[in-house]
């Protein structure tokens, strides 16, 4: 455990009062502490405003989609809060099957970039794809007056521990899961995996961490603020990201970013919230800004929690090479050769990992 030990991470398996975490029941109590830290100090809390949520199917194609082998459904989800509302489209591609199918709920970049997702191949492997366009939910900038941000912050102002954009996008993923549960019996709502790339990989991790209905999460090149450890990290560090993208996080995160070694958390807190569910972390070997080694070591740091809960994770000393399949169990890691993007190979390896979890 040489490399990991040098990172001096805050412990996962010790309660705030110093008591060691030895059982699954102890972990539930520790998990609540960790959830509260990640929520308040990293992504931020949504103010408790009463919102109405509705979902409608606006288009259905049972005949032509994927040569008739899949159903295309377009939903529209609407959130209404004190007279204001915002809506987003949900694109669902569901392979025809005699039983409800598992699904990836992808927070994506929308429009033409959906074309990068191997939608037909995902269907052939037995998964539905539920895709959103993140900018329809709220803009990717410091404006907190429009879209979902405008509903949550009527005066556009946020407090220290209030939700940033990642938390708003993640909340929209959770509300989309509500709509899928209610409207699409062809999808097995107990087997929905939150997925995303880069800033939306961070978003997918937080969605699944904060909502245990998600079967698991697949983060791709999520890097700083996602699956990469901040302590001892390379590439983008909290000081960079909180300066370049302060709106993504709670304002408190920017304060912590000034002294990484003193942070009461590191990113293994975020990943640990997934345990013992299925979590697949994907990196790319030339994506140094997202720190592939920091992502691998973060998985290794979380492994004792998976083991405590009877699952397998990633051994820090396991030999690691590019595109080496099968590293890990319920918690798995894959490093693709190449740069920062979400490729077909990334999807294939993620599906390999979830196939095993679903078969169990
Ligand atoms: C970068 C940012 C990363 C990553 C990336 C992306 O500029 O520094 O944290 O999120 O954007 O989302 O493509």
């Amino acid at each position: 455990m040489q490399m990991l030990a040098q990172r001096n991470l805050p412990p996962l398996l010790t309660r705030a009062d110093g008591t060691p975490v030895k059982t699954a029941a102890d972990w539930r109590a520790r998990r609540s502490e960790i959830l509260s830290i990640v929520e308040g100090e990293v992504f931020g809390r949504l103010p408790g405003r009463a919102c109405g949520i509705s979902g409608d199917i606006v288009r259905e194609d049972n005949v032509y989609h994927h040569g008739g082998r899949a159903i295309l459904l377009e939903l529209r989800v609407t959130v209404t809060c004190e007279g204001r509302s915002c809506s987003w489209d949900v694109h669902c591609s569901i392979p025809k099957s005699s039983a409800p199918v598992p699904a990836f709920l992808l927070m994506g970049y929308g429009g033409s970039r959906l074309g990068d997702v191997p939608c037909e191949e995902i269907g052939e492997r037995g998964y539905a794809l539920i895709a959103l366009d993140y900018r329809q939910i709220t803009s990717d900038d410091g404006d907190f007056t429009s879209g979902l941000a405008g509903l949550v912050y009527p005066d556009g102002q946020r407090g220290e521990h209030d939700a940033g954009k990642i938390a708003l996008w993640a909340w929209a993923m959770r509300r989309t899961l509500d709509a899928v549960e209610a409207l699409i019996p062809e999808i097995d709502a107990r087997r929905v995996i939150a997925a995303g790339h880069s800033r939306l990989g961070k978003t997918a991790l937080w969605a699944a961490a904060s909502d245990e209905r998600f079967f698991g999460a697949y983060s791709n090149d999520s890097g700083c603020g996602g699956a990469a450890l901040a302590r001892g990290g390379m590439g983008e560090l909290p000081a960079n990201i909180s300066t370049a993208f302060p709106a993504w996080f709670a304002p408190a995160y920017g304060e912590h970013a000034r002294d990484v070694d003193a942070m009461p958390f590191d990113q293994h807190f975020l990943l640990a919230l997934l345990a013992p569910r299925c979590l697949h972390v994907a990196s790319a070997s030339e994506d140094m800004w997202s720190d592939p080694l920091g992502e691998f070591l973060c998985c290794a740091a979380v492994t004792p929690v998976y083991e405590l809960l009877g699952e397998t994770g990633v051994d820090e000393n396991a030999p690691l090479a590019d595109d080496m399949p099968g590293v890990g169990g319920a918690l798995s890691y894959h490093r693709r050769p190449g740069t920062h993007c979400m490729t077909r190979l990334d999807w294939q390896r993620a599906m390999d990992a979830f196939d095993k979890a679903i078969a169990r």
Side-chain angles (χ1 to χ4, degrees):
M1 296 288 277
Q2 259 302 321
M3 289 190 297
L4 198 50
Q6 287 161 356
R7 301 283 176 124
N8 288 320
L9 300 178
L12 285 172
L13 293 177
T14 308
R15 297 281 309 273
D17 65 5
T19 330
V21 172
K22 293 192 170 140
T23 65
D26 296 343
W27 170 251
R28 289 307 297 173
R30 176 62 176 147
R31 188 183 184 280
S32 304
E33 294 174 351
I34 290 175
L35 180 62
S36 162
I37 292 171
V38 177
E39 190 172 45
E41 310 305 318
V42 182
F43 299 112
R45 301 194 166 92
L46 262 79
R49 298 167 69 78
C51 292
I53 320 282
S54 64
D56 299 292
I57 296 178
V58 294
R59 186 176 156 222
E60 180 163 359
D61 171 6
N62 247 309
V63 180
Y64 299 109
H65 191 52
H66 295 171
R69 294 191 313 284
I71 306 166
L72 174 74
L73 286 182
E74 304 277 0
L75 313 187
R76 194 146 179 87
V77 176
T78 301
V79 181
T80 309
C81 222
E82 294 171 9
R84 295 174 74 169
S85 68
C86 91
S87 301
W88 60 88
D89 299 316
V90 182
H91 168 106
C92 304
S93 181
I94 310 161
K96 289 180 182 167
S97 164
S98 54
V101 294
F104 288 97
L105 201 170
L106 173 72
M107 182 57 91
Y109 297 91
S112 59
R113 289 193 61 183
L114 190 56
D116 295 344
V117 181
C119 182
E120 199 162 346
E121 184 169 349
I122 291 170
E124 276 160 12
R125 299 258 320 233
Y127 293 87
L129 178 71
I130 307 163
L132 314 184
D133 174 356
Y134 82 128
R135 286 195 191 85
Q136 277 195 339
I137 289 138
T138 182
S139 57
D140 187 358
D141 55 23
D143 171 39
F144 279 84
T145 63
S146 59
L148 180 59
L151 261 59
V152 168
Y153 302 110
D155 58 3
Q157 300 301 314
R158 296 191 295 154
E160 234 358 61
H161 304 281
D162 283 346
K165 293 290 172 95
I166 288 176
L168 295 175
W169 295 321
W171 191 80
M173 292 179 83
R174 299 171 62 181
R175 302 295 66 86
T176 303
L177 180 55
D178 297 344
V180 167
E181 255 173 6
L183 298 173
I184 315 185
E186 294 87 352
I187 291 178
D188 182 351
R190 293 164 306 126
R191 296 228 161 83
V192 175
I193 300 144
H197 167 65
S198 204
R199 66 198 68 185
L200 303 181
K202 312 181 213 297
T203 303
L205 288 170
W206 180 230
S210 56
D211 190 333
E212 292 185 272
R213 289 177 306 162
F214 282 100
F215 182 73
Y218 159 32
S219 72
N220 199 81
D221 305 350
S222 62
C224 182
L229 292 172
R231 283 174 177 77
M234 66 177 318
E236 187 172 39
L237 294 173
N240 307 105
I241 202 168
S242 62
T243 308
F245 302 105
W248 288 356
F249 300 93
Y253 181 73
E255 301 298 319
H256 292 300
R258 293 170 200 271
D259 185 0
V260 164
D261 292 320
M263 294 192 315
F265 59 86
D266 207 310
Q267 293 309 115
H268 62 323
F269 275 37
L270 171 63
L271 300 197
L273 293 168
L274 268 294
R277 291 173 289 154
C278 195
L279 167 60
H280 181 72
V281 173
S283 313
S285 58
E286 292 169 41
D287 182 14
M288 293 313 172
W289 190 239
S290 304
D291 192 3
L293 177 63
E295 294 201 335
F296 173 71
L297 289 177
C298 193
C299 292
V302 173
T303 291
V305 180
Y306 273 79
E307 289 175 351
L308 176 71
L309 302 176
E311 295 291 348
T312 310
V314 167
D315 179 353
E316 182 195 348
N317 299 308
L320 187 66
D322 284 358
D323 193 25
M324 207 170 80
V327 180
L331 163 60
S332 60
Y333 176 83
H334 177 249
R335 194 179 68 200
R336 169 182 52 74
T339 55
H340 187 73
C341 51
M342 193 179 207
T343 69
R344 180 168 171 235
L345 181 61
D346 290 314
W347 277 102
Q348 287 169 333
R349 294 293 176 248
M351 288 189 283
D352 293 344
F354 288 104
D355 283 354
K356 283 191 217 145
I358 285 166
R360 268 191 306 217

